[in-house]
């Protein structure tokens, strides 16, 4: 669970827009990559994986307010391009439940999409290094590392959100009135988010969650590799 | 989040909001969300929240259930408010209220509008694969929810989920998710086959979005415009914020009257 549960209207507009633009570009690239007659075959699979992610996200692990994402599993099974499409669909639907703001769907897709992308390539890398018998360790490790990186992106996004260009440059009535100097920037930024306490809270809460999601990912991939190896290792099947 | 209950509410309600067309409810939602984004005033946000609760009362659905569904983001807003803590309760309150109000707006839309209708409105703005993915995901969620229920029951009956055996529980639960995934994949292949037989050629056809307006639509748009107009006037002209307490009082009175009226109606 590394996506932003930040409400609408808290993050600066430029950051929200940047998230949407980045998502649109990656989506366009993903659709271009998966274009072909096979795309219509993938629609039901996208639907099932997205639905599974939504179902898992609706089960909160109460003491730490955590929920699993299954984004790394989506990345491993669908591949990063199709997984990104699936993650956008999931974020759009859960935003309708009020699960994170509707305006931050773009940023959320980038963060969770990064998780699937990193998870997929790390899984492939670990399989190559440790061998195909280490499928459980490879997937578990890939999930934990992908979650750590995506959560760092999340903290980075929150950090960026406090450096609102309007605040830093001191825009008044649409015109820059004062260019920020090294001495006056920190005093203006302290009005925003305390990034240390935010990062600390997030890392304490999510640390247990990463481990849990890593273990779950490892067991799920192990199970699927036994029952339907063609889903994970198509060349082997 | 109970997807099945939300779907039931959306399909079985009889209020004006249920009868209004999806397009105009999306417009109402967009106006309210824009208001929430624009204002950073605690009293304005509280006023909007109470107004939305009043509208929830008018939907004749269980209000406490709707508020509970929409309260989920508050947990995460609390973390954010804690990170932004500067000794001001009002600032923390603004963040939490923004989360609660935005969530309640979205929940009001989906408890009064079947998902496919909402997707139909979004369809022209989305690439085909995403628009169709939304429909198929929606359908698949209910099938998986049923499978999940069966899975959890069978895990409990067979001792797969027992107290204090955490590792074993996680392993069994994970295998359960794996099973759901494999079953889901098989289902998706069957689904694709069925769609092909029925003439699927990469495009799911729908009824399209109706744009005509009836009185329910007018009421939904008017409410959205009213909230937006009041908010934008306080953003443009700060003097109007002096009336914030009156706006709050008016929304509270409307809530009390609506609740009493609904009690008598029931």
């Amino acid at each position: 669970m590394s996506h932003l549960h930040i409400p609408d209207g808290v993050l600066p507009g430029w950051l929200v827009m940047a998230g949407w633009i980045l998502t649109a570009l990656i989506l366009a690239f993903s659709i271009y990559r998966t274009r072909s007659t096979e795309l219509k075959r993938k629609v039901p699979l996208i639907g099932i994986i997205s639905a599974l992610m939504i179902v898992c996200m609706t089960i909160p692990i109460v003491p730490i307010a955590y929920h699993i994402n299954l984004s790394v599993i989506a990345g491993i099974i669908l591949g990063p391009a199709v997984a990104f499409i699936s993650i956008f669909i999931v974020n759009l639907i859960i935003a309708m439940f009020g699960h994170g703001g509707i305006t931050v769907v773009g940023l959320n897709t980038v963060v969770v999409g990064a998780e699937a992308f990193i998870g997929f390539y790390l899984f492939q890398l670990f399989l190559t290094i440790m061998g195909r018998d280490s499928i459980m360790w490879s997937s578990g490790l890939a999930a934990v590392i992908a979650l750590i990186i995506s959560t760092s992106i999340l903290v980075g996004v929150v950090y960026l959100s406090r450096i609102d260009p309007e605040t830093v440059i001191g825009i008044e009535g649409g015109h820059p009135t004062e260019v920020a100097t090294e001495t006056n920037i920190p005093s203006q930024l302290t009005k925003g988010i305390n990034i240390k306490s935010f990062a600390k809270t997030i890392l304490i809460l999510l640390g247990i969650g990463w481990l849990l999601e890593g273990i779950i990912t490892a067991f799920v991939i192990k199970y699927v590799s036994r029952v339907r190896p063609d889903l994970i290792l198509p060349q082997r099947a | 989040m109970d997807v099945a209950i939300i779907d039931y509410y959306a399909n079985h309600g009889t209020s004006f909001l249920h009868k209004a067309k999806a397009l105009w409810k999306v417009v109402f939602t967009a106006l309210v969300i824009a208001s929430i984004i624009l204002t950073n005033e605690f009293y304005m946000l509280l006023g909007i929240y109470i107004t939305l609760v009043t509208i929830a009362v008018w939907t004749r659905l269980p209000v406490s259930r709707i508020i509970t569904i929409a309260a989920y983001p508050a947990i995460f807003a609390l973390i954010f408010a804690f990170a932004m803590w500067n000794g001001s309760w009002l600032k923390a309150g603004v963040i939490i209220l923004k989360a609660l109000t935005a969530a309640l707006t979205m929940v009001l839309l989906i408890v009064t509008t079947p998902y496919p209708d909402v997707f139909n409105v979004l369809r022209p703005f989305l690439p085909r694969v995403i628009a169709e993915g939304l429909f198929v995901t929606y359908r698949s969620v209910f099938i998986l929810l049923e499978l999940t229920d069966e899975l959890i029951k069978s895990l409990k009956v067979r001792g797969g989920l027992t107290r204090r055996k955490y590792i074993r529980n996680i392993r069994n639960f994970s295998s359960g998710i794996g099973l759901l995934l494999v079953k889901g994949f098989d289902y998706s292949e069957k689904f694709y086959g069925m769609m092909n037989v029925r003439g699927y050629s990469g495009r799911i056809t729908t009824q399209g979005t109706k744009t005509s307006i009836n009185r329910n639509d007018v009421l939904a748009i008017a409410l959205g415009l009213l909230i937006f107009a009041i908010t934008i006037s306080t953003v443009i002209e700060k003097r109007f914020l002096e009336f914030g307490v009156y706006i709050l009082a008016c929304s509270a009175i409307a809530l009390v009257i609506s609740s009493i009226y609904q009690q008598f109606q029931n």
Side-chain angles (χ1 to χ4, degrees):
Chain A
M1 184 197 73
S2 57
H3 63 272
L4 299 149
H5 294 84
I6 295 172
D8 294 305
V10 171
L11 293 178
W14 66 269
L15 192 58
V16 170
M17 279 310 293
W20 277 104
I21 292 167
L22 200 56
T23 295
L25 289 174
I26 302 172
L27 273 178
F29 178 71
S30 302
I31 292 168
Y32 174 77
R33 278 283 302 268
T34 50
R35 78 197 188 287
S36 70
T37 48
E38 280 305 292
L39 194 59
K40 67 171 184 172
R41 178 179 278 275
K42 281 180 179 157
V43 169
L45 186 59
I46 290 172
I48 283 293
I49 299 283
S50 308
L52 192 64
M53 287 172 82
I54 292 169
V55 169
C56 287
M57 283 181 184
T58 60
I59 307 168
I61 297 158
V62 180
I64 50 170
Y66 189 88
H67 63 72
I68 51 172
N69 262 357
L70 301 188
S71 45
V72 175
I73 295 175
I76 291 171
I77 290 174
L78 295 173
V82 183
F84 196 83
I85 298 171
S86 173
I87 285 163
F88 176 74
I89 290 171
V90 170
N91 278 320
L92 196 59
I93 292 179
I94 62 168
M96 289 180 192
F97 292 107
H99 194 107
I102 191 86
T103 54
V104 289
V105 167
L107 279 170
N108 269 335
T109 309
V110 173
V111 174
V112 186
E115 211 169 280
F117 180 85
I118 297 163
F120 172 79
Y121 284 107
L122 281 178
F123 176 67
Q124 300 293 336
L125 179 74
F126 290 145
L127 270 189
T128 315
I129 297 170
M130 297 194 275
R132 297 213 157 181
D133 293 331
S134 65
I135 202 159
M136 202 174 147
W137 279 103
S138 300
S139 54
L141 266 176
V144 172
I145 297 172
L147 281 162
I148 292 171
I149 296 172
S150 67
T151 310
S152 306
I153 298 173
L154 182 147
V155 174
V157 166
V158 174
Y159 176 75
L160 278 174
S161 75
R162 70 176 189 170
I163 311 170
D164 184 346
E166 289 189 1
T167 314
V168 177
I169 302 171
I171 291 173
E172 204 176 280
H175 302 288
T177 53
E178 176 201 351
V179 175
T181 62
E182 272 182 40
T183 47
N184 67 12
I185 288 173
S187 64
Q188 291 183 38
L189 295 185
T190 48
K191 289 173 188 169
I193 296 160
N194 182 344
I195 200 71
K196 275 186 185 169
S197 66
F198 179 77
K200 226 183 274 176
T201 316
I202 288 287
L203 295 178
I204 291 167
L205 279 176
L206 299 191
I208 308 159
W210 295 333
L211 200 64
L212 195 64
E213 188 148 357
I215 294 169
I216 290 174
T217 303
F219 281 123
V220 170
I221 294 295
K222 186 188 168 193
Y223 178 88
V224 178
S225 71
R226 281 182 179 172
V227 182
R228 287 290 300 267
D230 56 308
L231 286 180
I232 295 165
L233 306 163
Q235 57 273 52
R236 192 182 181 185
Chain B
M1 281 197 286
D2 200 328
V3 185
I5 284 186
I6 287 171
D7 192 65
Y8 179 82
Y9 290 161
N11 285 291
H12 292 85
T14 54
S15 70
F16 82 97
L17 214 50
H18 284 92
K19 289 174 188 163
K21 287 182 196 73
L23 174 67
W24 304 118
K25 281 186 274 187
V26 170
V27 171
F28 162 80
T29 306
L31 286 168
V32 179
I33 294 282
S35 309
I36 295 163
I37 291 170
L38 285 171
T39 187
N40 285 314
E41 298 300 327
F42 181 82
Y43 294 109
M44 275 308 300
L45 285 165
L46 192 57
I48 297 172
Y49 186 75
I50 294 172
T51 307
L52 292 173
V53 176
T54 310
I55 296 171
V57 172
W58 294 347
T59 63
R60 294 184 214 134
L61 295 172
V63 179
S64 57
R65 189 77 193 248
I66 291 173
I67 291 173
T68 312
I69 294 169
Y72 183 64
I75 304 166
F76 304 100
L78 269 172
I79 298 172
F80 209 68
F82 173 71
M84 290 184 86
W85 179 253
N86 63 351
S88 163
W89 286 100
L90 272 183
K91 195 174 174 184
V94 164
I95 293 166
I96 293 163
L97 265 177
K98 278 200 174 208
L100 287 174
T101 316
L104 188 56
T105 313
M106 295 309 297
V107 170
L108 265 180
L109 171 71
I110 60 159
V111 294
T112 57
T113 321
Y115 256 100
D117 294 353
V118 181
F119 297 155
N120 248 344
V121 175
L122 301 177
R123 197 186 182 99
F125 310 101
L126 295 170
R128 207 174 71 194
V129 66
I130 293 171
E132 283 169 16
L134 280 169
F135 282 102
V136 180
T137 302
Y138 168 76
R139 197 181 139 80
S140 308
V141 162
F142 293 95
I143 293 160
L144 281 180
L145 278 175
E146 211 176 302
L147 286 174
T148 310
D149 261 3
E150 284 172 18
L151 173 83
I152 290 173
K153 271 179 204 159
S154 62
L155 272 174
K156 280 181 180 168
V157 168
R158 290 166 191 163
L161 293 176
T162 43
R163 280 186 181 187
R164 291 180 189 173
K165 296 198 171 169
Y166 302 111
I167 298 292
R168 208 178 82 173
N169 287 351
I170 290 173
R171 197 178 60 206
N172 290 338
F173 180 71
S174 308
S175 299
I177 294 175
L179 177 70
L180 282 180
L181 207 148
V182 172
K183 273 191 174 179
F185 185 77
D186 291 340
Y187 161 78
S188 82
E189 287 197 324
K190 277 184 198 164
F191 187 50
Y192 174 71
M194 284 190 291
M195 282 162 75
N196 260 344
V197 169
R198 290 172 188 170
Y200 174 67
S201 57
R203 185 183 291 271
I204 298 171
T205 46
T206 53
Q207 288 178 333
T209 310
K210 290 175 187 169
T211 49
S212 58
I213 296 184
N214 60 33
R215 62 178 179 177
N216 298 311
D217 303 327
V218 171
L219 189 52
I221 301 166
L223 281 167
L225 280 173
L226 182 69
I227 292 171
F228 184 72
I230 292 172
T231 310
I232 200 83
S233 64
T234 59
V235 171
I236 294 169
E237 187 54 68
K238 296 282 178 201
R239 273 188 306 134
F240 290 146
L241 282 172
E242 292 168 16
F243 301 105
V245 180
Y246 298 109
I247 295 167
L248 192 60
C250 285
S251 51
I253 291 166
L255 174 62
V256 173
I257 293 171
S258 302
S259 304
I260 294 168
Y261 178 75
Q262 284 300 330
Q263 282 291 327
F264 277 110
Q265 285 280 305
N266 295 333

